[in-house]
Amino acid sequence: MGPRRTSIGDDPFNIDSPPDSRWTTANTGEQMPGVLTPLTITLTMEPAELGLLRAFALLGVIPRSEVRMPEHRHDHSLGYFYGRCAANVSLIRRLFDLTPGTSGAAYEAQMFGGEGLGESELLRRRRWPLVAAQMPWRVLRTPTGLTALRAELQEWWAGQVRRMPTATLPEARQAALDAQAQMQRVTPYVYLATLTAQLAYGRICALSALAGHPGLENTISGGYGTEELEMANDFWAVSRGTMPGERFFERHGWTAPMGMELSARSWRETPELIEPLLRSYRELPDEDDPRRVSEERAAERRQAEIQLLRGLPRRRRVEARLLLRLTAEYMRLRTVQKACSAIVYDGMRLGARRIGVLLHADGLIDDPDDAFYLTQSELLAPELPADARERIATRRAARDEYQALRLPDGWTGNPVPIVVADVPRAGSAGSAAVSGTGVSPGIVEGPVRVVTSPTDGDVRPGEILVCEMTDPSWISLMVVAAGFVIDIGGPVSHGAIIARELGIPCVINTGSGTAALRTGQRVRIDGSTGTVEVLGEPDEVAVPLADAPRPEPVR
């Protein structure tokens, strides 16, 4: 099945890639999950590209003159194949190869789950003095700037929520553009937070090995407190009747399952969807209070830090103490950055949804959600294209077709899609079902619960959550689960960070866990080695899923 590669006006779902260009879908699903709509692709394209380049320009790695939209779509950092987002590994590795303290190979391994192989280029010698002056200052300023932006965006979003129900068509179109401008501000921080977290994690890995404790980095890189844990605390408070639901939605209503897809409905729009999630929280015993879990993880992390320092030569301990402080700050920033992105996306969603309602009321489109099947230039123009209905119908059919396909983890040139139904299922009891990267230590056994969306799943205590990716909306299920098996990501991706914060074993970057495993299978996962072993089929599981106790991880 070949993609229809035409102009962006006709087919925004696909690009043509040069035969020597490398791509990966690993980790991009966290930001841009599933088969995206044309509006999502086109409205976010420019901020994503310029944001990446602007981040490296702020560090002094590239000159500001290089911060411009590439002429060809295959030269973007993000590309789209069958409607799914992929990262341009060739381009991103070149940028990280030019960055002191890291390399493209290290970035690929930690974010995309690669092996970290390959030679690094040398930083352009003429830029060394500039980088030496700019990079430390910019890295140290990132926490303050991002924290301030987070508070500002929360207020901006609340204003958008108040205004949009009565906005006119021009006002709604302007609101979508305003949200796009906010994304221009957020996106450099996305890459700065990612870069600093990756640098910190890489150094902690090296020091852990030097201290004779390889793998200790996964205990050290958690227990700091994150945006999602604050959300989990509020979930807990609502489930216990100590926080009004209205207050919860004021604080977190911008959250949406598959939240970076603009057509997805946020908790603000569908408050009834969190009731099943609250029901799971109500079933948890008081000792599973997220605050208590967070305190326990912080204590484990402090003990691991002591273990690290004791194992290091004295001359390296000053460096290690400084690095531990930086790691605490920058791992937390990864989740702050994701909250900022989710807030901005819901601002875009507000404007686009209002445009769809008004166009439908005027009889120009058949359904308000048809707005998401138009591109930015089509939807925000004074008039819709004369053949708007035909374009919408064609793109809806293409998106439905692409939902049955997956892309490989990585490829060169153009991908050969995989039909989801053709992915082999895990074998019989005792077989190695899937494998990935162990990013949160511990061994745990339990029944599988495959979940495609946090609002469609009902994870019960003791179950192993198996999913394609995670974003902030998944915290409601993650707190309940006994372990995680995640298709895409790396050691400093969202799912890995939250697993370490919760102290729950996690295997990530399996590639096919959601297709290979079945709800009800009993498995054993090892969050250190990255293995997932099938212990029994659904009809062999003696304990009903709903009654399964939550086991303690073996450390």
Side-chain angles (χ1 to χ4, degrees):
M1 185 184 303
R4 310 175 184 91
R5 292 188 174 89
T6 54
S7 70
I8 193 167
D10 294 327
D11 181 10
F13 292 114
N14 292 288
I15 66 167
D16 267 317
S17 174
D20 60 344
S21 185
R22 289 183 56 211
W23 299 85
T24 182
T25 53
N27 208 41
T28 55
E30 284 191 4
Q31 290 293 109
M32 310 291 280
V35 180
L36 304 172
T37 55
L39 186 63
T40 300
I41 293 172
T42 56
L43 196 59
T44 61
M45 185 181 295
E46 184 171 324
E49 296 308 314
L50 296 182
L52 172 67
L53 298 174
R54 189 170 289 120
F56 282 93
L58 289 171
L59 297 173
V61 173
I62 62 173
R64 293 181 183 271
S65 60
E66 292 187 15
V67 182
R68 60 182 184 274
M69 285 296 289
E71 181 178 351
H72 301 291
R73 287 182 68 202
H74 58 239
D75 290 328
H76 289 193
S77 62
L78 298 178
Y80 301 90
F81 302 86
Y82 301 89
R84 294 183 183 270
C85 183
N88 187 335
V89 178
S90 302
L91 182 148
I92 295 174
R93 278 186 62 134
R94 282 198 297 271
L95 289 171
F96 275 86
D97 278 340
L98 295 171
T99 304
T102 186
S103 68
Y107 179 80
E108 182 178 359
Q110 293 172 22
M111 291 303 299
F112 303 141
E115 297 180 355
L117 303 177
E119 297 298 323
S120 173
E121 299 176 16
L122 293 175
L123 178 67
R124 302 168 191 171
R125 290 180 181 272
R126 67 180 183 276
R127 301 197 64 80
W128 283 0
L130 187 60
V131 173
Q134 286 188 204
M135 187 171 178
W137 178 85
R138 180 61 60 183
V139 167
L140 292 174
R141 291 276 298 176
T142 295
T144 302
L146 185 54
T147 301
L149 181 58
R150 168 68 176 86
E152 183 182 336
L153 287 174
Q154 185 78 27
E155 291 299 317
W156 167 80
W157 172 80
Q160 294 288 81
V161 171
R162 289 191 298 269
R163 286 189 291 271
M164 279 306 97
T166 59
T168 63
L169 189 57
E171 290 170 340
R173 283 175 168 148
Q174 186 59 49
L177 290 173
D178 290 345
Q180 187 184 52
Q182 294 288 3
M183 187 180 173
Q184 295 273 16
R185 301 175 64 200
V186 169
T187 308
Y189 281 111
V190 171
Y191 293 105
L192 289 171
T194 301
L195 171 62
T196 50
Q198 183 255 329
L199 287 170
Y201 183 85
R203 291 301 302 149
I204 290 291
C205 287
L207 289 178
S208 296
L210 179 62
H213 301 293
L216 193 63
E217 63 274 5
N218 285 331
T219 302
I220 290 174
S221 302
Y224 303 117
T226 66
E227 281 269 344
E228 280 85 347
L229 283 184
E230 291 181 18
M231 188 186 298
N233 291 338
D234 287 352
F235 252 112
W236 187 269
V238 175
S239 73
R240 273 15 185 207
T242 58
M243 174 182 283
E246 295 80 4
R247 176 60 177 156
F248 179 87
F249 289 113
E250 288 173 3
R251 288 171 56 84
H252 309 293
W254 40 264
T255 308
M258 316 299 276
M260 309 309 178
E261 166 50 52
L262 298 183
S263 65
R265 295 194 177 271
S266 64
W267 288 345
R268 164 186 56 79
E269 298 173 279
T270 53
E272 69 278 4
L273 291 181
I274 74 163
E275 181 52 39
L277 309 177
L278 290 173
R279 185 171 62 247
S280 295
Y281 274 58
R282 294 187 188 108
E283 294 176 356
L284 292 173
D286 290 343
E287 56 264 29
D288 282 349
D289 184 332
R291 288 183 178 85
R292 181 177 297 181
V293 172
S294 183
E295 291 170 359
E296 292 172 353
R297 281 294 298 116
E300 291 176 5
R301 187 248 308 159
R302 287 191 291 269
Q303 288 300 312
E305 290 174 347
I306 293 171
Q307 187 179 6
L308 173 71
L309 292 171
R310 286 175 176 170
L312 289 173
R314 289 185 180 276
R315 68 181 184 279
R316 303 297 298 270
R317 292 178 186 176
V318 173
E319 172 200 351
R321 288 189 179 94
L322 174 61
L323 183 61
L324 290 172
R325 288 198 294 271
L326 292 175
T327 301
E329 190 72 74
Y330 294 122
M331 285 296 175
R332 182 188 65 83
L333 284 185
R334 281 280 286 144
T335 66
V336 175
Q337 158 255 304
K338 283 193 169 292
C340 289
S341 297
I343 291 169
V344 168
Y345 273 79
D346 199 48
M348 290 183 183
R349 184 178 293 115
L350 277 158
R353 193 85 70 195
R354 180 62 179 168
I355 294 170
V357 167
L358 294 172
L359 292 177
H360 177 251
D362 290 340
L364 298 175
I365 57 178
D366 297 329
D367 185 290
D369 279 3
D370 284 348
F372 298 102
Y373 290 85
L374 296 170
T375 64
Q376 174 184 338
S377 60
E378 293 165 352
L379 187 68
L380 302 186
E383 294 184 2
L384 296 185
D387 61 345
R389 280 188 167 87
E390 289 77 6
R391 296 189 188 195
I392 290 166
T394 298
R395 292 168 184 170
R396 275 189 178 274
R399 188 169 183 242
D400 288 344
E401 176 184 315
Y402 296 158
Q403 297 285 5
L405 305 177
R406 293 180 63 164
L407 298 181
D409 292 340
W411 68 89
T412 301
N414 287 317
V416 177
I418 302 165
V419 178
V420 174
D422 293 342
V423 177
R425 291 290 190 177
S428 59
S431 68
V434 292
S435 62
T437 304
V439 292
S440 184
I443 299 172
V444 68
E445 298 177 9
V448 164
R449 178 70 67 175
V450 179
V451 181
T452 57
S453 167
T455 56
D456 295 335
D458 187 16
V459 175
R460 312 302 296 275
E463 293 181 343
I464 307 298
L465 171 61
V466 179
C467 58
E468 185 177 1
M469 47 70 65
T470 65
D471 62 24
S473 67
W474 286 84
I475 190 63
S476 52
L477 302 183
M478 298 176 84
V479 168
V480 179
F484 310 141
V485 177
I486 305 175
D487 285 358
I488 55 179
V492 293
S493 61
H494 176 268
I497 291 173
I498 300 306
R500 292 193 291 266
E501 285 295 321
L502 295 172
I504 294 175
C506 177
V507 177
I508 206 167
N509 195 40
T510 66
S512 61
T514 53
L517 297 171
R518 298 187 295 282
T519 292
Q521 281 181 314
R522 193 167 185 83
V523 298
R524 178 189 294 118
I525 73 171
D526 187 328
S528 296
T529 63
T531 58
V532 181
E533 180 184 356
V534 175
L535 302 178
E537 294 304 306
D539 56 357
E540 300 170 356
V541 177
V543 181
L545 293 183
D547 300 325
R550 181 171 184 163
E552 291 295 324
V554 179
R555 297 196 178 279

